Amino acid sequence: MATAPNNNIAARPGREQEARQVFVYLPLIAGWLVPGAGHFLLRKWGRGALLSASIVGMFAVGLAMQGKVYASAHEVLDLLGLAGDLGNGLLYVVAQLLGLGADQVRVTTADYGTRFIVVAGLLNVIAAVDAHNLRTGRKS
Amino acid sequence: MFRPSHFAALVLFALFASVVFGITQHETPRRMLRYGIYCFVLFVGSAVALSWAMYFIAR
């Protein structure tokens, strides 16, 4: 009976470490879902605001140019485009739900818009990884 | 529908990408700014240089 509390104490650091491990990935996940949120969580307000403005701005300009938002992939290039689009996190989900963007690219500017949307997703992934590096101390 | 010229689209693309590259690739604000400007100039400069190269090749 007396040994039970000791076992709990011994188990506590493991659980705390596990919880801390999960928390380490929070800026990464938050940054992917909402551009700049990873940096905001780490109180890097200026960097977060600039990243957010750039990524959301690029995504919005892409949509305004009637860029295509990939919904499915039938070819390898479509798969790459879809992977890039998914990097936008919730922006991609909102665009899909609201039916934003074009189904087919008809004009040159729409082709540029499609690239803007894909690149915004890739830049968002870079920003989320940067937030993760800040969290782990790999970057200051 | 937003229809920018090719050059305006290039400048917008370079601006957004350079901001993200500058912030994520360096640690101090001064170096971030310098790297961001460096990326922007390279994006725009290389596109203009390649455009002129293609213009002379096509002639």
Side-chain angles (χ1 to χ4, degrees):
Chain A
M1 289 293 281
T3 55
N6 287 341
N7 282 345
N8 283 343
I9 290 167
R12 218 176 277 160
R15 277 185 202 159
E16 278 177 10
Q17 200 176 351
E18 206 172 281
R20 217 177 296 143
Q21 283 280 328
V22 173
F23 189 69
V24 161
Y25 294 104
L26 190 62
L28 177 72
I29 296 165
W32 168 57
L33 290 174
V34 181
H39 287 77
F40 289 142
L41 277 177
L42 299 168
R43 297 179 185 281
K44 302 280 185 187
W45 307 110
R47 294 185 199 184
L50 280 170
L51 288 171
S52 182
S54 296
I55 293 162
V56 175
M58 196 169 203
F59 187 80
V61 167
L63 287 180
M65 289 160 82
Q66 287 296 299
K68 179 182 174 184
V69 179
Y70 290 93
S72 59
H74 301 294
E75 295 171 25
V76 179
L77 283 177
D78 285 351
L79 189 68
L80 292 174
L82 179 65
D85 278 7
L86 286 172
N88 286 300
L90 290 179
L91 288 178
Y92 173 79
V93 177
V94 169
Q96 283 289 0
L97 289 176
L98 299 179
L100 300 174
D103 295 329
Q104 282 189 333
V105 173
R106 295 180 197 280
V107 289
T108 315
T109 46
D111 194 33
Y112 293 164
T114 306
R115 306 299 158 233
F116 268 61
I117 294 167
V118 171
V119 174
L122 298 176
L123 292 175
N124 191 36
V125 172
I126 293 174
V129 170
D130 185 61
H132 179 64
N133 286 339
L134 286 167
R135 175 65 184 83
T136 56
R138 211 174 290 166
K139 186 185 173 192
S140 58
Chain B
M1 184 178 173
F2 177 51
R3 283 191 176 185
S5 66
H6 290 195
F7 186 72
L10 163 70
V11 170
L12 278 172
F13 184 94
L15 181 70
F16 293 137
S18 300
V19 169
V20 176
F21 284 174
I23 291 172
T24 56
Q25 303 303 311
H26 285 279
E27 297 194 358
T28 59
R30 189 182 168 81
R31 293 198 69 192
M32 286 176 185
L33 183 67
R34 283 185 64 180
Y35 189 67
I37 293 169
Y38 173 74
C39 286
F40 182 81
V41 169
L42 272 187
F43 269 127
V44 177
S46 58
V48 170
L50 282 170
S51 303
W52 276 108
M54 285 189 281
Y55 171 76
F56 285 116
I57 288 168
R59 285 184 74 177

